[in-house]
């Protein structure tokens, strides 16, 4: 695993944006795998800036988001659908038909997961997957457990994640308890992966990721099985 050591959050955002920009420049019709969370916000705002300055063209890219709460409506301002349009897609020249996010409104979550997994395959697979990391080492919503799922699936959130994500909701009770998420296999099939980590709250998960040991109790450690992963982390996350 390559590690890009950054001083702070701004440097993490800058390094991540530069890698995404390089990918889109090299392959204008590439497939990007995208995360939500507070960590990628700085990266998204830099990419928006580059697009506004006509330095980067998103008109041909396709995107697949990692995950979505379930159940949740698309116009709920805590849905990942809302988050992505608000923080990225509404501000760049992406063709909205090329945006893919698991449908948290479905009444057939299992069927939606099969459809989503197949759609990624039909598009040709993900060229560059951008990841954040949960405090407990989750990626997407692949939570620590005895067994991890390979393909896109419906999952229950751990108490740790419900608490961590409750900061975005009015109360802990409002956090959905389930999610639709791409699986470990979906993520590991990506041709290239970058994972962003910032802040002391991520230090323990990052320590375990960098130990090189693989455990389902920290799903991010499975990235050690992939041959092209870059961790972009600041001093606090590496502390
Ligand atoms: C969420 C998302 C993850 C994200 C993680 C970290 O639960 N499902 O994809 O990486 O939390 O979020 P943050 O960047 O806000 O710490």
């Amino acid at each position: 695993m390559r590690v890009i050591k950054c001083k702070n959050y701004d440097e993490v955002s800058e390094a991540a944006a530069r890698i995404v920009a390089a990918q889109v420049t090299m392959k204008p019709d590439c497939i990007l795998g995208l995360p939500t969370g507070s960590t990628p916000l700085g990266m998204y705002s830099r990419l928006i800036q580059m697009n506004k300055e006509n330095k980067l063209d998103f008109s041909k890219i396709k995107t697949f988001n990692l995950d979505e709460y379930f159940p949740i409506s698309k116009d709920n301002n805590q849905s990942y659908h809302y988050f992505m349009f608000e923080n990225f897609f509404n501000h760049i020249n992406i063709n909205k038909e090329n945006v893919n996010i698991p449908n948290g409104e479905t009444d057939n979550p299992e069927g939606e997961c099969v459809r989503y997994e197949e759609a990624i395959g039909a598009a040709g697979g993900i060229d560059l997957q951008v990841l954040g990391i949960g405090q407990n080492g989750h990626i997407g919503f692949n939570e620590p457990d005895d067994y991890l799922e390979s393909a896109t699936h419906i999952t229950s959130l751990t108490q740790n994640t419900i608490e961590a994500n409750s900061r975005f909701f009015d109360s802990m009770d409002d956090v959905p308890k389930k999610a639709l998420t791409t699986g470990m296999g979906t993520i590991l099939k990506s041709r290239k992966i970058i994972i962003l980590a910032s802040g002391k709250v991520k230090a323990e998960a990052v320590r375990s990721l960098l130990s090189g040991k693989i455990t389902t109790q920290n799903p991010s450690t499975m990235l050690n099985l992939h041959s092209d992963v870059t961790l972009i982390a600041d001093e606090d996350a590496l502390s």
Side-chain angles (χ1 to χ4, degrees):
M1 182 170 315
R2 272 185 299 272
V3 181
I4 299 180
K5 295 181 182 166
C6 301
K7 272 207 175 55
N8 51 36
Y9 175 68
D10 278 350
E11 279 191 25
V12 170
S13 303
E14 184 64 31
R18 264 192 275 125
I19 291 173
V20 174
Q23 171 68 59
V24 174
T25 305
M26 297 279 282
K27 188 178 176 190
D29 61 348
C30 67
I31 318 280
L32 298 180
L34 295 177
T36 52
S38 46
T39 311
L41 284 172
M43 174 191 79
Y44 287 138
S45 70
R46 281 164 176 77
L47 291 171
I48 291 168
Q49 194 58 33
M50 289 181 210
N51 187 238
K52 287 205 192 315
E53 291 167 359
N54 290 322
K55 290 179 184 151
L56 201 53
D57 175 21
F58 291 108
S59 62
K60 295 195 187 72
I61 65 160
K62 243 187 208 156
T63 64
F64 284 89
N65 260 81
L66 275 171
D67 50 10
E68 175 61 286
Y69 290 115
F70 179 80
I72 201 159
S73 71
K74 289 179 184 153
D75 54 15
N76 182 319
N77 62 10
Q78 292 310 328
S79 75
Y80 286 170
H81 189 276
Y82 188 95
F83 174 101
M84 287 306 298
F85 279 85
E86 185 76 3
N87 293 301
F88 194 38
F89 299 141
N90 282 342
H91 311 287
I92 60 170
N93 70 330
I94 192 169
N95 176 352
K96 304 289 186 293
E97 283 169 17
N98 287 340
V99 169
N100 297 275
I101 304 172
N103 178 9
E105 293 181 348
T106 183
D107 49 16
N108 175 10
E110 284 80 12
E112 169 63 7
C113 292
V114 171
R115 183 200 68 78
Y116 200 73
E117 187 75 24
E118 284 176 359
I120 296 174
I126 289 166
D127 290 301
L128 173 64
Q129 174 68 60
V130 184
L131 296 173
I133 184 169
Q135 293 176 20
N136 60 6
H138 74 232
I139 49 180
F141 270 129
N142 292 277
E143 295 275 35
D145 209 339
D146 290 346
Y147 300 94
L148 299 179
E149 301 262 353
S150 179
T152 304
H153 59 284
I154 180 163
T155 188
S156 299
L157 305 188
T158 61
Q159 194 54 31
N160 173 289
T161 298
I162 292 169
E163 280 165 24
N165 291 8
S166 67
R167 68 189 194 275
F168 301 114
F169 290 82
D170 290 338
S171 79
M172 205 121 87
D173 287 345
D174 291 334
V175 186
K177 307 292 178 287
K178 291 188 183 247
L180 308 178
T181 182
T182 50
M184 294 308 308
T186 328
I187 292 168
L188 288 170
K189 271 187 232 158
S190 311
R191 287 182 265 285
K192 189 179 189 63
I193 299 174
I194 60 174
I195 176 161
L196 282 47
S198 170
K200 279 215 182 337
V201 286
K202 304 293 171 69
E204 180 50 32
V206 168
R207 187 199 58 73
S208 161
L209 167 63
L210 289 177
S211 74
K213 298 204 171 68
I214 295 159
T215 168
T216 58
Q217 297 304 328
N218 177 334
S220 76
T221 61
M222 293 189 77
L223 297 176
N224 285 295
L225 295 168
H226 194 281
S227 61
D228 193 348
V229 178
T230 303
L231 167 68
I232 307 174
D234 64 13
E235 283 172 0
D236 283 344
L238 290 166
S239 65

